Amino acid sequence: ADAQAAARALAPLLKGQPLEEGKLVRLSGQDAGPAFVFKKGLLLFSSSAQDLDGMTARLGGAGDGALSTAPDWAKAHKLLGEAGRLELYAEIAPLVRLALARADAEDRPQLETAIHKLGLDGVKTVLVQIGGRGAGLSLDAAILWDAPKDSLVGRLLAPAPIPAGALKSVPARATCVSAGRLDAPGLLAAIRGALDEEKGKDFEAALGRAKETLGFDIEKELLPLLDEVWVSYDVGTREMFNLWSGITFTVGVKDAAQMEKCLADLAKACNKALQGAGAEAGLEFEVREAKVGEVTVRYAALSPWPVSPSVALANNHLYVSLSFNTLRSALKQAGSGPGILELPAFQEA
């Protein structure tokens, strides 16, 4: 930064005093209060004036070790590079220790056990970078972790590439696209493993009740049908008061016939379970069916709510949306017209 430009920008804080190289400027009358200093072209702010002493010492080559020499900092930057214009770096272990320290003594052992079972104690470092690529901005993140592979964090952060073909069904007019991996059966197993004995029994009882109500086993008959790669995209369709209605979720299905049976059983179970319950609350609720070409769309008519959760099975993929109109549009566009993979702007990004 230019010293003169910095002085002009900081004039209200300097109160007529010159901006001197290396001179501490306090923003309050307290020694430990907020302050800033200009040194070697850098403007350093801190909520504590005492912290600035160490920062300026490190700039001069003295003081304790700089963050840039920390092994995890180096590993994270090796993954993302040094192109970030704005960075957020956080070491997670101190935050976990702080959460445990602030917990009530009687709750601390249970919280510590939950953190370990979830694998949160294995998350080491998070680095987020906002940088420039060409004419636009890029947002990149790196997470260093050493969590057990069968923990919740281990399953969610397991590194695996997203195949390019996963985006083939996304239309070119999509304004936002995301894709990720989710091992649904493994995630359920990780959640089960993170529960204590009492909550584990409640969890199993809930799964048992769901099986009786739905007519199929969620864990054994539904989740294994789903591929790991999930895609969501927004085509800009909106319904009144529903900002999420333009989003469509899609995931590959391994056995279309079995998935169709599960969807049919789910619709019947919902209609049976909620029959009459909506009227008591002044609501109309019914799972209905409609055809979009040769595809059957099942949607929940929720009057007077401005949403219509919808689901359909097409091209060995499950489509889900909060809006019937959005899902109908997605089905009509799937496989027809240009896709997002063909857009020059998407290829450049």
Side-chain angles (χ1 to χ4, degrees), residues 102-159:
R102 291 186 174 182
D104 293 336
E106 58 182 15
D107 297 333
R108 192 173 298 133
Q110 185 177 357
L111 178 60
E112 190 170 15
T113 299
I115 288 175
H116 178 68
K117 288 186 175 181
L118 292 173
L120 294 176
D121 54 350
V123 181
K124 301 168 64 179
T125 298
V126 176
L127 172 65
V128 178
Q129 283 186 347
I130 299 177
R133 289 182 182 174
L137 290 176
S138 63
L139 175 63
D140 299 291
I143 302 176
L144 301 183
W145 60 281
D146 189 22
K149 293 183 178 180
D150 59 349
S151 67
L152 182 62
V153 170
R155 291 183 183 277
L156 290 176
L157 299 183

Side-chain angles (χ1 to χ4, degrees), residues 26-46:
R26 300 182 186 277
L27 300 179
S28 72
Q30 301 177 356
D31 291 341
F36 68 88
V37 65
F38 182 80
K39 186 171 183 177
K40 291 189 175 182
L42 296 175
L43 190 60
L44 307 176
F45 279 89
S46 177

Side-chain angles (χ1 to χ4, degrees), residues 12 17 60 203 294 301 312 316:
Q17 299 297 318
F203 183 73
E294 299 297 321
N316 290 319

Side-chain angles (χ1 to χ4, degrees), residues 37-96:
V37 65
F38 182 80
K39 186 171 183 177
K40 291 189 175 182
L42 296 175
L43 190 60
L44 307 176
F45 279 89
S46 177
S47 59
S48 172
Q50 295 174 344
D51 293 338
L52 282 176
D53 293 336
M55 295 171 67
T56 54
R58 284 188 289 273
L59 280 177
D64 55 1
L67 177 63
S68 58
T69 63
D72 285 346
W73 170 277
K75 290 179 182 177
H77 280 81
K78 185 176 182 180
L79 292 172
L80 298 186
E82 302 289 345
R85 297 179 181 176
L86 177 65
E87 292 191 352
L88 171 63
Y89 176 84
E91 293 184 353
I92 305 302
L95 300 179
V96 172

Side-chain angles (χ1 to χ4, degrees), residues 293-304:
E294 299 297 321
V295 179
T296 299
V297 178
R298 294 178 174 87
Y299 67 99
L302 304 172
S303 177

Side-chain angles (χ1 to χ4, degrees), residues 277-288 299-309:
E280 296 177 2
L283 303 173
E284 295 182 15
F285 180 94
E286 183 182 7
V287 178
R288 301 172 182 172
Y299 67 99
L302 304 172
S303 177
W305 293 348
V307 293
S308 51

